[in-house]
Amino acid sequence: MESFKNSLGKKRLPTLSITTLMLMTFGNLGTSMAFSLQSANMGRIFQTLGADPTKLGFFFILPPLAGMVVQPLVGYFSDRTWIPKIGRRLPYLILGATVAIIVMMLLPNTGSFGFKASTALWFGAVAILFMDLSSNMSMQPFKMMISDMVNDSQKDMAWSWQTIWGNIGGVIANLFPFFFTAIGVANVAAQGELPASVKWSFYVGSIILGISAAFTIWKVDEYEPGKYAEYHGIAENAEKINMVKLIKKAPKVFWTLGIVQFFCWAGFQYLWTYGTGAIAQNIWHTTDAASGSFQSAGNWFGVLSSIETVAAIIWGLMITRLNNKTRKPAYTLGLLLGAVGFFILAVTGSKTMSVVAFILLGIAWVTMNAIPFTILTNALDGKHDGTYMGLFNTWICLPQIVASIVSFALYPLLGNQMPHMILVSAILFIIGSLSVWFIKESSVERGDSF
C-alpha cells in the first residue's frame, strides 16, 4: 500500500490493490440480489394478490420510505460505533442481512397463509417494508466503507466495482423465475398465490445473501479509530454534531447531485411499478394479472432486468477510469441513453426492441449508481461521512415516494395506460441529464474544485 501526506498535511488514504477493492465490495452482490428480487417482482406480486392497478403506487411508497429513514440513521450511528474485532460499519451489515434473510423467506408466501385478499395485501406491504428496512441497513455499510477507506484516485474504480458486483447479483436474481420455470417449477398458481418459481427465487436469493455478506465480514478489516482519524485528518474524539447541523453544513454538491438523482430515481420508480404491466400490454397484449400470458411477461421482465444488469456491468468496467475531465460528460451521456431506453420500452411491441431498451437502461443504471457517489465522497472530509452518505440516500428514496404519490393522479390522467408512465420516465431522464451541468465538483483530499 502507498500512503503519504497530501497538500493539506494529513496522511493520505493508502492506494489499495484491485483485489482489495473487489473484496471490499463483494458482499454487495447478495444485498443487491435482495433488492433486485424485490424491485423486479413487486408489481407482479401485488397484482397477483389482487391489487388495484390505480392504487399500485401505494405499495411502492413503503420501500423508499424505509430507506429514507434507515440509511441516515445507520450512517449517523455507525459514525459513532466501534466494536473491536468487528468494526464500525460491519455490525449494521450483520444485523440487516440477518433480518433480510428471514423476510425473504416469508414474503413470497404472502398469498399462501389463507388470508383474505385485503389481509394478504397488507401482510405483503408490511413484509416489503421490513425487507427494505433490513436491506437498506445491510447495503449502507458497503457505501460507507468506500468513503472510509478509498482515496480519491481510486473511488471511480471502487464505486464501479460496487455497482458491478451489485449488477452481477441482479443478473442472477432476475433470471431466477425464468430459470426455475425452464426446469419445470410451476410458473402459475391458485388465484391470489404466487407461483413456486417466484418463491424459490426468493429462497435461493436469501441463501446467497447470507453467504456473500459473511464473506465480506470475514475479509474486510476496517481502520481502527486512531488510524481512521489519522487518515482523515480529524481528532479521534471529534465533536459530535447533530444531523440538522450537518445538513446545514453539507457541501454544495450534496444538493446539486440531489437534483439529478431526483429525476433519475423517479424515472426508475415508474419502471419498477409499471414495467411488467407495460410489457404485458405491449408485447403479450394482456392486462389480466391472473393469466399465464401476464406471468410470462413477468418472467420476461426478469430476463430483461438481467440484460440490463449485464449492460451495466460492461459499462461499469468502461467507466472505472474516469477522471475530472470526463466524469460529467459520461454522466450526461449515460442518462440520455437511459431516456432513449425508456422511450423505446414505452412504444415497442417487439421483444427484440425491449432488449435494446434494457441495454440502454443498464447504462443509465450504472451511471446513476457510480458517478454521483464518486463526486460526493470526493467532497467529504471524513468527519461525518457515514451520516452524509446516509442522508444522500434521501435523494434516492424521496423521488420514489414523490413519484408514487403523483402516480395516483398521473396514471388516470394518462388514460390508465402503463406504457404512458414509462414515457414519463424518459422525460425525467432528459431533465436529469441537463441538470448534471449544475454540478461543480470539488476534492477535499486535493484541496481544490473543478
Side-chain angles (χ1 to χ4, degrees):
M1 292 185 185
E2 174 191 358
S3 181
F4 52 89
K5 302 282 186 177
N6 69 2
S7 60
L8 300 178
K10 68 180 181 181
K11 191 174 182 181
R12 184 180 174 184
L13 286 161
T15 297
L16 305 176
S17 68
I18 295 177
T19 301
T20 300
L21 293 175
M22 291 172 65
L23 293 174
M24 180 188 298
T25 55
F26 175 71
N28 195 45
L29 182 148
T31 302
S32 293
M33 184 174 287
F35 273 110
S36 295
L37 283 168
Q38 174 183 313
S39 60
N41 290 284
M42 272 185 67
R44 179 181 188 176
I45 288 171
F46 286 110
Q47 288 180 74
T48 300
L49 293 173
D52 180 349
T54 63
K55 304 294 189 298
L56 200 56
F58 168 78
F59 298 101
F60 286 80
I61 292 175
L62 298 175
L65 184 62
M68 194 165 68
V69 173
V70 170
Q71 293 211 24
L73 291 177
V74 170
Y76 183 81
F77 287 110
S78 66
D79 278 343
R80 293 152 174 76
T81 297
W82 178 257
I83 300 177
K85 297 186 178 181
I86 300 179
R88 177 180 295 104
R89 317 298 185 183
L90 292 177
Y92 299 88
L93 171 58
I94 294 169
L95 177 60
T98 301
V99 177
I101 290 168
I102 295 170
V103 178
M104 287 177 73
M105 295 289 188
L106 292 174
L107 177 60
N109 291 291
T110 300
S112 304
F113 294 133
F115 300 139
K116 61 181 182 180
S118 59
T119 305
L121 284 170
W122 276 109
F123 183 89
V126 172
I128 284 287
L129 176 61
F130 273 92
M131 183 170 173
D132 219 74
L133 286 168
S134 56
S135 296
N136 273 286
M137 182 175 288
S138 62
M139 176 172 279
Q140 189 66 2
F142 296 109
K143 298 178 181 179
M144 294 184 291
M145 284 188 289
I146 291 178
S147 184
D148 290 348
M149 302 176 68
V150 180
N151 65 44
D152 282 8
S153 65
Q154 292 189 297
K155 280 179 180 170
D156 283 305
M157 181 177 293
W159 285 111
S160 293
W161 272 111
Q162 174 98 305
T163 309
I164 287 167
W165 284 126
N167 285 323
I168 291 173
V171 169
I172 299 169
N174 290 321
L175 282 175
F176 274 160
F178 184 86
F179 168 75
F180 284 120
T181 302
I183 64 173
V185 178
N187 193 47
V188 292
Q191 182 74 28
E193 293 188 23
L194 295 173
S197 59
V198 175
K199 293 180 181 179
W200 276 102
S201 298
F202 276 83
Y203 298 158
V204 176
S206 68
I207 294 170
I208 296 175
L209 169 59
I211 293 171
S212 65
F215 190 89
T216 293
I217 294 163
W218 175 41
K219 288 292 184 180
V220 173
D221 293 318
E222 298 187 72
Y223 297 140
E224 51 84 21
K227 185 178 290 187
Y228 180 91
E230 183 181 10
Y231 281 137
H232 290 278
I234 60 177
E236 188 172 338
N237 297 309
E239 175 191 3
K240 303 295 189 285
I241 302 177
N242 68 47
M243 207 174 293
V244 174
K245 290 183 179 178
L246 288 175
I247 293 173
K248 293 179 180 179
K249 295 176 63 176
K252 186 177 180 180
V253 294
F254 178 91
W255 304 104
T256 52
L257 279 169
I259 294 171
V260 182
Q261 290 288 83
F262 187 94
F263 293 113
C264 293
W265 285 92
F268 263 87
Q269 181 73 349
Y270 287 150
L271 174 67
W272 298 327
T273 308
Y274 302 105
T276 298
I279 290 169
Q281 183 174 333
N282 284 349
I283 300 176
W284 271 265
H285 308 294
T286 183
T287 58
D288 180 6
S291 68
S293 295
F294 188 94
Q295 297 301 330
S296 294
N299 281 0
W300 183 241
F301 186 85
V303 173
L304 290 172
S305 297
S306 294
I307 292 169
E308 173 195 330
T309 50
V310 170
I313 291 167
I314 296 171
W315 190 256
L317 289 169
M318 294 174 65
I319 64 174
T320 56
R321 300 290 182 177
L322 292 177
N323 56 46
N324 298 338
K325 293 183 179 179
T326 59
R327 194 173 293 120
K328 284 204 293 189
Y331 198 178
T332 303
L333 175 62
L335 300 188
L336 284 174
L337 292 175
V340 175
F342 280 118
F343 177 79
I344 293 173
L345 184 64
V347 301
T348 188
S350 161
K351 291 176 73 173
T352 301
M353 290 306 297
S354 70
V355 170
V356 174
F358 270 77
I359 289 172
L360 297 176
L361 293 179
I363 293 172
W365 177 254
V366 74
T367 299
M368 67 189 241
N369 277 282
I371 296 178
F373 288 99
T374 297
I375 296 173
L376 175 65
T377 53
N378 283 350
L380 298 178
D381 60 11
K383 295 179 182 177
H384 308 283
D385 286 16
T387 306
Y388 279 125
M389 294 297 290
L391 289 169
F392 190 68
N393 192 61
T394 301
W395 296 119
I396 295 174
C397 300
L398 181 62
Q400 295 178 63
I401 295 170
V402 172
S404 292
I405 293 173
V406 170
S407 72
F408 298 144
L410 188 60
Y411 182 67
L413 184 66
L414 296 178
N416 294 323
Q417 297 292 309
M418 294 192 183
H420 292 173
M421 299 298 287
I422 306 300
L423 279 177
V424 173
S425 296
I427 295 170
L428 291 171
F429 262 70
I430 292 172
I431 299 172
S433 69
L434 297 175
S435 302
V436 168
W437 295 95
F438 289 102
I439 299 168
K440 184 176 182 180
E441 296 185 65
S442 63
S443 171
V444 171
E445 185 174 286
R446 287 160 48 96
D448 62 5
S449 61
F450 44 91

